Amino acid sequence: IFRIYAGSEAHAFQKRLNQDPAVEELEMSSALFVNAPLSVGINVSSVGTWISKSCDSGLPLSCSPQSRRDIQKQFLGLRSSNSRYIPQQARKFVIRDDNVFTVKCVAQPPIKKEEKSGAGAAGLNQLDQLKQFTVVVADTGDFESMKKYKPIDATTNPSLILQASAKPEYAQLMEDAIAYGKSHESDPDKRLSLILDKLAVNFGEEILKIVPGRVSTEVDARLSFDMEATLTRARRIIALYAEHGIPKERIYIKIASTWEGIKAAHILEEEGINCNLTLLFSFAQAIACAEASVTLISPFVGRILDWYKKSTGKDSYPGSEDPGVQSVTKIYHYYKKHGYKTIVMGASFRSTDEIVELAGCDYLTIGPKFLEDLQNSSEPLVQKLTPTDHVSFPGLDKISLDEKAFRWMMNEDAMATEKLAEGIRSFAADTVKLEAVIKQKL
């Protein structure tokens, strides 16, 4: 259990604890992690390094933020290094670089893997059980779904925004983006590009009013092979968020996992802009992302399964034999064995069986249908992935990739090559459709 104190709020909260010790038990009973000064909050990523170092001692310590990027990466990798310490709830994120934080850590006894099941917790549905092992992210642009299922983060993409933009309740977000584009850009093509980014940011801003963590906002898929253009658009997206007072620490820039995209992400990470590398289908992509110090990757479980079902003619796979599940499992263990801090976030699911098989993965981004299915099920859910399992997982020797080696490994992986190209084309096509909607309204 972690408690974080910041500034004057720390003194006020400590006073409350001194007056009524029961407050601590009440406020910590439903979470493994809570920001203590609930009325203000702090950026949890700024203290992760010291949480990680102090977990086993159970001792409080004081610290001041130094290199925010390095600190943040260590915090985001915290659940990778020890699944006993998992941020389950984070209330508010406000950057407070000038504060000295005190972190109080109380280590829980290690839990054997076979005991890590939600079955013993009376009344817990599968979604709540999953949240004990994994950060659950909403894969949707629908605000009501986010409110219902209470994820930590949310992801968006051009397809989701296209679907959401067609709903009357989101019309104002489109109108605002168009008005912004008209007032800030006279060139028609540049204006359209700006409106697209502004629309994505408008959705992201609303999402951040609902989720306590982050939102992933995607760079135009048509730039997937253009590093410089990707950098320009990513920086503009961050600037658009900043205009609304939203710090970059609450944003993931979502980029396709091409060689150019990974190189762009590496530069952005050096600038303190965290990236979510999407459309990831291969071990080569995962290795390159880890070597580029990318914050988070999104391997597409269901789309990998789609390819194998089509290519083999096999109608179904048992959960543990699902090629998408096996791919994510291998990446997860490789990262843990070699100490990479990059978060593994399984995505694009075709069934709850795939989700159940990946319980314990760092993050899982799940669509509303499967969130509802999990919420409606009370079946026991067992943690399948733990950070120490790599010891018994074969074939995890460390690999280093330059561009030639990366492209060759991709060439040798027909599934990854085909699905990456298909995914880029699909997102690009939906972006064109979204542009057509905007043009009609201009």
Side-chain angles (χ1 to χ4, degrees):
I1 298 173
F2 310 124
R3 173 158 280 122
I4 300 176
Y5 304 100
S8 60
E9 291 292 328
H11 299 292
F13 196 85
Q14 188 64 53
K15 185 176 180 181
R16 288 175 57 200
L17 291 180
N18 293 338
Q19 293 173 345
D20 183 3
V23 170
E24 180 169 9
E25 180 179 354
L26 289 172
E27 297 207 8
M28 297 300 287
S29 61
S30 63
L32 294 176
F33 178 94
V34 176
N35 285 345
L38 300 181
S39 62
V40 176
I42 64 172
N43 180 355
V44 295
S45 65
S46 298
V47 294
T49 296
W50 297 284
I51 293 179
S52 182
K53 289 179 179 177
S54 65
C55 282
D56 292 323
S57 67
L59 298 174
L61 65 145
S62 296
C63 54
S64 299
Q66 298 172 1
S67 169
R68 185 189 303 166
R69 175 179 171 276
D70 291 340
I71 294 166
Q72 183 177 29
K73 281 191 172 303
Q74 293 193 48
F75 177 73
L76 292 174
L78 181 59
R79 69 160 46 253
S80 304
S81 61
N82 193 328
S83 62
R84 291 157 56 197
Y85 309 107
I86 301 174
Q88 288 293 320
Q89 293 184 3
R91 301 302 176 94
K92 296 176 69 176
F93 297 80
V94 179
I95 306 304
R96 307 178 72 127
D97 288 337
D98 56 342
N99 265 339
V100 173
F101 303 117
T102 297
V103 183
K104 177 181 178 182
C105 305
V106 180
Q108 296 180 339
I111 304 173
K112 295 180 181 179
K113 183 178 179 183
E114 59 268 24
E115 295 176 40
K116 289 186 178 181
S117 169
L124 284 184
N125 58 51
Q126 280 196 321
L127 180 58
D128 288 336
Q129 293 177 61
L130 180 64
K131 289 179 179 179
Q132 295 178 331
F133 313 132
T134 291
V135 172
V136 173
V137 179
D139 192 15
T140 179
D142 182 71
F143 304 152
E144 293 307 314
S145 294
M146 296 176 204
K147 293 176 183 177
K148 180 177 180 180
Y149 300 112
K150 299 178 175 59
I152 296 295
D153 295 345
T155 57
T156 63
N157 61 47
S159 303
L160 294 175
I161 291 179
L162 177 63
Q163 295 169 14
S165 296
K167 298 181 179 181
E169 58 264 39
Y170 303 136
Q172 180 56 43
L173 301 181
M174 174 71 79
E175 293 172 6
D176 177 80
I178 290 173
Y180 185 93
K182 286 181 176 179
S183 65
H184 286 77
E185 185 56 68
S186 58
D187 180 270
D189 291 336
K190 292 181 179 179
R191 180 194 301 142
L192 186 59
S193 167
L194 177 58
I195 292 172
L196 282 173
D197 286 348
K198 177 60 174 171
L199 179 62
V201 168
N202 283 353
F203 270 92
E205 181 183 8
E206 294 303 312
I207 289 168
L208 290 174
K209 295 176 183 177
I210 303 169
V211 302
R214 303 182 182 217
V215 65
S216 291
T217 299
E218 190 152 348
V219 171
D220 192 329
R222 294 170 294 184
L223 306 177
S224 296
F225 302 101
D226 188 332
M227 185 187 76
E228 291 300 331
T230 295
L231 289 170
T232 299
R233 291 290 284 273
R235 290 163 180 156
R236 182 168 74 182
I237 288 169
I238 293 297
L240 288 169
Y241 275 112
E243 289 180 9
H244 291 270
I246 299 171
K248 60 186 177 182
E249 285 77 13
R250 294 202 67 190
I251 312 301
Y252 289 125
I253 293 296
K254 202 171 177 185
I255 303 170
S257 300
T258 60
W259 180 258
E260 294 80 4
I262 295 168
K263 293 296 103 178
H266 179 66
I267 294 170
L268 292 170
E269 294 281 356
E270 291 289 341
E271 297 174 4
I273 297 173
N274 299 140
C275 297
N276 170 357
L277 271 290
T278 188
L279 294 175
L280 192 144
F281 302 97
S282 74
F283 196 47
Q285 290 171 295
I287 293 170
C289 286
E291 291 190 318
S293 299
V294 167
T295 299
L296 181 147
I297 61 169
S298 297
F300 276 34
V301 181
R303 295 195 195 186
I304 294 175
L305 174 64
D306 294 344
W307 189 91
Y308 278 95
K309 289 172 69 174
K310 182 178 179 180
S311 65
T312 64
K314 191 173 180 178
D315 291 335
S316 62
Y317 289 79
S320 61
E321 297 176 16
D322 183 308
V325 170
Q326 292 180 337
S327 176
V328 174
T329 300
K330 181 179 180 181
I331 293 167
Y332 174 88
H333 290 314
Y334 182 84
Y335 279 12
K336 303 307 172 273
K337 178 176 181 177
H338 298 294
Y340 289 116
K341 300 303 182 181
T342 299
I343 296 167
V344 180
M345 181 172 74
S348 178
F349 294 105
R350 296 293 180 261
S351 69
T352 54
D353 287 343
E354 291 178 323
I355 297 168
V356 168
E357 286 296 326
L358 291 173
C361 188
D362 301 331
Y363 287 26
L364 295 176
T365 181
I366 306 170
K369 177 184 182 300
F370 294 133
L371 288 172
E372 182 174 7
D373 290 345
L374 291 167
Q375 191 172 73
N376 291 336
S377 173
S378 58
E379 290 295 315
L381 189 147
V382 177
Q383 182 172 359
K384 297 297 182 73
L385 300 182
T386 63
T388 57
D389 285 350
H390 63 77
V391 175
S392 59
F393 198 92
L396 296 178
D397 292 340
K398 192 168 186 178
I399 301 172
S400 184
L401 297 179
D402 59 12
E403 181 177 357
K404 293 176 183 178
F406 173 84
R407 294 195 186 281
W408 180 251
M409 284 186 70
M410 286 294 291
N411 180 73
E412 292 296 279
D413 190 333
M415 177 277 297
T417 298
E418 292 174 20
K419 297 306 290 185
L420 174 59
E422 178 187 279
I424 291 172
R425 288 195 301 269
S426 177
F427 282 158
D430 282 339
T431 300
V432 171
K433 292 176 184 177
L434 190 55
E435 285 181 336
V437 173
I438 294 169
K439 287 176 180 179
Q440 290 178 347
K441 296 178 179 294
L442 279 170

